[in-house]
Amino acid sequence: RHSEGACPASALAAAFDPFEGPYQVDPAEALRWSRDQLPVFYSPKLGYWIVSRYDDIKSVFRDNVLYSPRNALEKITPATPEAMKVLASYGYAMNRTLVNEDEPAHMERRRVLLDHFLPENLEAKQEMVRRLTREKIDGFIDRGRVDLVEEMLYEVPLTIALHFLGVPEDEIERMRSFAVAHAVNTWGRPTPEQQVEVAHAVGRFWQYAGEVIEKMRADPDGEGWMHYTIRKNAEIPEIVTDSYVHSMMMAIIVAAHETTSLASTNMFKTLLTHRDAWEDVCADPSLIPNAVEECLRYAGSMVAWRRETTAAAQLGGVELPAGAKLLIVQASGNQDERHFEDGDRFDIYRDNAVEHLTFGYGSHQCLGKNIGRLEMRIFLEEMSRRLPHLRLAEQEFTYLPNTSFRGPNNLWVEWDPEHNPERANP
Ligand code: HEM
């Protein structure tokens, strides 16, 4: 398949475009050639070095000094002057949160803010997730056909996230448009016209985040992680800074729910297209925890993350200059056959599924991973028990074109309500 004279890998590197074509269809498959031939390559279209193998991605995550996370929330498509003007008009000043903060500030802050995320402090959330999930299913179980995103997988993670944060739950629709704008702004390639439109939405989101903080400050004993954060901001402002509080307020609304909604959507899509696995899960719910990990490995919602070198580095046999921007593609690492046997095969019995990189790795590893997992497990427990005859409807899947957040916008499923198990055993 080598074309005359030309090096196919360098041609593929030159052609690589994460906003359209194969990467948007299937990021792991789109980088198979890279895993095999050129595991670290420069993409002139993106201006980033792409990292596609499991071991290289993990070593980047492991060294957060040489590979700084400071560019993790940067606009991957630089803002146009018009868009910058719009953002400035809203006083937009998104800066460091946790995920894009260097040491030692990051660890000092992470340590102070860690408690709410510990498994023992999440126990109480379990009942709430189950109750919300059951209510949603009660609402559609006799219908026979729904878009699961619209009916459950968007709203339940959002409600749980807002509750965890202690943010008022009154503006779900507004948040939805904000979240999309934030994702396009950070990881997408908007046209110059869209840039201006997105900048307005992002600016409004920024102001909204500020208003929410003010509202929360007025309730000093409020519950939830952001209330706690606000109290720490008053106590130790040099560690939990004002800028951090405002930036985190905006980032966390998206980090805490969009990631989980998309991962859950991918999970149902994957299981229903692998019918044997779905039926095994229905027959034996003890398979669910590992099935969730395998779904996160095979079709995670966070498919690529970013780092920047602080000095010249060597990675995958390639010399990187200082200041090199890296797109590390977890979706590709997650299917790397050097780490996962038959990595492109979906297998809920896989014994190392949990080693996936979807939550990142090392000192910045996702703080909310156990919240995400908890929700995914409960969705699967409830759906597989109450709708084992569920199937995927005929449909075209659409995705928001971007480098990092991945999951279909809708997921139509159908079933025959006559065969609902609870009709036979009410
Ligand atoms: C960080 C993915 C759910 C809060 C991250 C990172 C990824 C990620 C890739 C960066 C990791 C790194 O740099 O090593 C996901 C996925 C989720 C999810 C796939 C769902 C399936 C959540 C939830 C919350 C949350 C529910 C909060 C309630 C955070 C925070 C960080 C983070 C605070 C920053 C940690 C740090 O830098 O110290 N997440 N996340 N995430 N995530 Fe999540």
Side-chain angles (χ1 to χ4, degrees), residues 90 162 167-172 174-175 178 201-215 246 249-250 253:
Y90 290 92
L162 296 180
V167 172
E169 287 170 30
D170 43 4
E171 306 223 41
I172 286 195
R174 201 140 78 112
M175 299 234 185
F178 286 160
V202 168
R204 285 195 295 270
F205 191 7
W206 176 255
Q207 290 196 335
Y208 170 75
E211 287 160 25
V212 172
I213 291 165
E214 284 321 306
K215 232 195 249 179
H246 197 154
M249 188 72 232
M250 178 163 155
I253 291 173

Side-chain angles (χ1 to χ4, degrees), residues 40 51 53-68 307 313-317 320 326 328 357 361-362:
V40 176
V51 184
R53 277 194 193 163
Y54 184 91
D55 285 345
D56 292 335
I57 296 169
K58 204 163 174 173
S59 60
V60 170
F61 273 128
R62 197 179 275 132
D63 187 344
N64 64 338
V65 175
L66 182 55
Y67 300 104
S68 161
R307 290 290 189 263
Q314 264 246 349
L315 185 68
L320 298 171
L326 270 49
I328 49 179
L357 299 169
Y361 181 79

